[in-house]
Amino acid sequence: MNWQQTELRPSHGIRWAFGSAGGRRSSTYRLWANKKGDFYLSALWLGGSLKTSLHRDGRCHSGLTNEFASEIAVTQRHMDRWRVPLDRIVKAVQVVVAESDLAIYDSTEKDPMRWLQPPKAGHAATAGIILMPTADVPIGNSWPGADRGVQPIGVVETETRTAFVVHWENELTPEQAAQLHDLRNRVRATSLERKIAPAPGLRAVLIGQIGDDRTLFDVAYQDAT
């Protein structure tokens, strides 16, 4: 892959999903930015309600958008807050989807869109958002983690910071698989309490951590297809 071809204007951002159109797939995610160095990440179908913000002063948070919080009369919209350093490379947040959470459903995708290799059975795919000062971006056709087999998705550059979006795959440990199974059951139980029945295309994005890494878990909530 020619990494230079993946550079995009900040406001255009980049969209990606694991899987394929018409096949088993994850949610579609979008990362975009403004010129000053604020980055935003959302799942396509939750774009109007849930968003992760990575601000240029190092403050980060995941939670409800202003508009959705006002609509449902919630005063505390941030579900997680953290800070990242501004003077060095850092993984600000990551999206994790297990193979067992890939599902078939119809959707409309817009360019620029990247379909990524889905994880193997018993594995999970991760898309990581790597931030660094724009002045420190390496010259040439490279990206963070290239020497360890990490694959590129795209890069969004601003005046002050640049975000590399990369992906990799890991085998789930029995403990991790059990935790994901528990998350799915909790999503299902909570949804049924709210009288939301499983249906194709219904998914959940859960905010949490893996070790010290802020993580968005992409979970399916639909009947098997």
Side-chain angles (χ1 to χ4, degrees):
M1 173 182 289
N2 185 343
W3 177 251
Q4 298 302 323
Q5 292 180 354
T6 67
E7 293 181 2
L8 300 159
R9 282 189 290 175
S11 60
H12 284 182
I14 188 169
R15 293 175 176 84
W16 73 89
F18 291 98
S20 61
R24 296 180 66 233
R25 41 80 58 87
S26 70
S27 301
T28 298
Y29 286 83
R30 180 183 179 226
L31 178 81
W32 73 101
N34 58 33
K35 293 181 179 180
K36 295 181 179 180
D38 299 309
F39 290 88
Y40 305 98
L41 172 68
S42 71
L44 181 63
W45 68 278
L46 286 173
S49 57
L50 186 69
K51 182 172 66 175
T52 294
S53 301
L54 310 171
H55 292 292
R56 58 184 179 273
D57 61 1
R59 293 180 301 112
C60 305
H61 53 77
S62 289
L64 305 178
T65 62
N66 279 321
E67 297 77 9
F68 187 65
S70 297
E71 180 182 330
I72 62 174
V74 170
T75 56
Q76 180 55 48
R77 65 187 186 87
H78 295 150
M79 303 174 187
D80 189 18
R81 298 174 185 262
W82 69 102
R83 297 189 71 91
V84 296
L86 301 177
D87 59 348
R88 60 184 183 274
I89 187 170
V90 61
K91 179 165 66 175
V93 66
Q94 63 185 8
V95 177
V96 173
V97 57
E99 185 276 338
S100 51
D101 281 307
L102 301 178
I104 296 174
Y105 62 94
D106 294 329
S107 65
T108 301
E109 313 298 346
K110 298 179 180 179
D111 287 332
M113 173 69 191
R114 299 193 180 278
W115 290 104
L116 308 176
Q117 182 71 29
K120 298 185 292 291
H123 290 61
T126 300
I129 312 302
I130 313 298
L131 299 179
M132 68 173 67
T134 295
D136 295 343
V137 172
I139 298 174
N141 196 29
S142 187
W143 58 90
D147 57 339
R148 299 189 298 276
V150 172
Q151 297 298 311
I153 300 175
V155 58
V156 180
E157 182 176 305
T158 73
E159 295 175 354
T160 58
R161 297 194 298 172
T162 293
F164 286 83
V165 189
V166 296
H167 70 100
W168 62 93
E169 180 178 323
N170 293 107
E171 183 176 6
L172 293 170
T173 66
E175 180 182 8
Q176 290 170 332
Q179 290 173 341
L180 284 172
H181 180 73
D182 180 60
L183 284 176
R184 290 186 208 102
N185 284 341
R186 289 164 60 186
V187 167
R188 177 173 289 268
T190 301
S191 299
L192 290 176
E193 286 176 3
R194 298 177 181 177
K195 302 186 185 306
I196 302 173
L202 286 182
R203 304 186 65 83
V205 176
L206 308 179
I207 299 169
Q209 287 184 236
I210 297 178
D212 294 329
D213 293 327
R214 255 57 186 203
T215 304
L216 303 178
F217 296 94
D218 187 46
V219 180
Y221 174 56
Q222 66 177 72
D223 292 327
T225 302

